[in-house]
Amino acid sequence: EAQVTQNPRYLITVTGKKLTVTCSQNMNHEYMSWYRQDPGLGLRQIYYSMNVEVTDKGDVPEGYKVSRKEKRNFPLILESPSPNQTSLYFCASSLWTGSYEQYFGPGTRLTVT
Amino acid sequence: EDKVVQSPLSLVVHEGDTVTLNCSYEVTNFRSLLWYKQEKKAPTFLFMLTSSGIEKKSGRLSSILDKKELFSILNITATQTGDSAVYLCAVIIQGAQKLVFGQGTRLTINP
């Protein structure tokens, strides 16, 4: 089944404790992206990647890191999480660039206390 | 700054009603506009619109883009309770390879 998977789905952590949210897609998509969703603000893009080893900042990259060592995986890293990073996070992928329908993962609800 | 604005932010109607959701945009370099439906989980794709004036249709849902006036509408006819969701509009920025989303419209259909 073609899908985007994210892990964990739910995470409660404390300020400053490094964490990684994994994202994997099995559709051989070149483009992958991370979003956060907050009430009243819609979805905001954090980082995106157009191919292996090619990443770029979205609208809200501060406090996040990403890497794209393999085509299928695009982990999101929070080196020192803070409470303002409490949010619902979505990973998405699309066939070529961002100029195409994006398939979303199931979401990761992160709480930083 | 690229901006996408949806209205209304929230809408409550009765089953069987017809609704129109709006999406206006101001972006540096427009490529396409997307509509997504989000129920309890991840957004699911509805439509992609690139050309002005051409209606996209899927069952009771339809959408059209006006590139001169910089907006799109999503129509849902004969609404059902299963249409209750947040509807998201997003614009693809040419060259920047990114999507800019609106805030979403929360649609509630009462039986």
Side-chain angles (χ1 to χ4, degrees):
Chain A
E1 181 192 351
Q3 58 182 350
V4 179
T5 56
Q6 293 178 229
N7 281 293
R9 297 287 313 281
Y10 302 91
L11 179 60
I12 300 173
T13 189
V14 296
T15 299
K17 186 177 180 182
K18 181 179 179 179
L19 67 93
T20 299
V21 184
T22 64
C23 173
S24 183
Q25 49 92 6
N26 62 0
M27 295 170 278
N28 203 35
H29 284 172
E30 291 191 358
Y31 183 95
M32 297 185 75
S33 182
W34 276 103
Y35 299 89
R36 61 178 288 173
Q37 187 173 33
D38 303 290
L41 295 177
L43 281 153
R44 293 179 293 167
Q45 191 172 45
I46 303 170
Y47 269 95
Y48 63 93
S49 169
M50 291 171 61
N51 213 325
V52 174
E53 302 293 1
V54 180
T55 63
D56 209 345
K57 296 177 181 177
D59 290 323
V60 288
E62 295 78 20
Y64 304 95
K65 284 174 57 176
V66 293
S67 70
R68 187 94 181 270
K69 293 185 170 56
E70 306 165 279
K71 198 171 188 177
R72 62 184 292 130
N73 296 323
F74 190 45
L76 179 70
I77 303 154
L78 284 72
E79 295 269 3
S80 183
S82 62
N84 65 13
Q85 293 179 297
T86 292
S87 189
L88 178 59
Y89 291 87
F90 288 103
C91 180
S93 73
S94 64
L95 188 59
W96 299 300
T97 66
S99 54
Y100 203 72
E101 173 191 346
Q102 292 197 21
Y103 294 83
F104 283 82
T108 295
R109 186 166 291 283
L110 173 66
T111 302
V112 183
T113 61
Chain B
E1 183 189 342
D2 298 320
K3 193 163 62 172
V4 177
V5 177
Q6 293 185 242
S7 63
L9 294 182
S10 181
L11 184 60
V12 180
V13 300
H14 291 292
E15 203 166 20
D17 288 350
T18 293
V19 298
T20 298
L21 310 183
N22 303 292
C23 175
S24 64
Y25 60 91
E26 285 180 41
V27 300
T28 48
N29 202 355
F30 175 90
R31 177 161 183 162
S32 301
L33 185 144
L34 306 175
W35 283 99
Y36 285 87
K37 177 182 182 182
Q38 185 179 23
E39 295 174 87
K40 295 212 184 295
K41 299 180 182 178
T44 54
F45 174 79
L46 294 174
F47 298 113
M48 180 164 74
L49 302 149
T50 304
S51 301
S52 237
I54 299 173
E55 185 183 52
K56 293 276 182 96
K57 201 168 167 61
S58 175
R60 296 176 294 101
L61 277 67
S62 64
S63 183
I64 198 160
L65 174 68
D66 185 328
K67 289 169 76 172
K68 184 179 175 188
E69 299 298 329
L70 309 182
F71 77 92
S72 173
I73 59 172
L74 175 68
N75 277 323
I76 309 175
T77 59
T79 52
Q80 303 170 357
T81 54
D83 295 325
S84 294
V86 174
Y87 289 83
L88 298 167
C89 169
V91 169
I92 298 170
I93 308 298
Q94 175 88 3
Q97 303 305 336
K98 67 175 192 175
L99 259 65
V100 179
F101 280 83
Q103 322 94 300
T105 293
R106 181 173 296 279
L107 176 64
T108 303
I109 311 294
N110 288 327

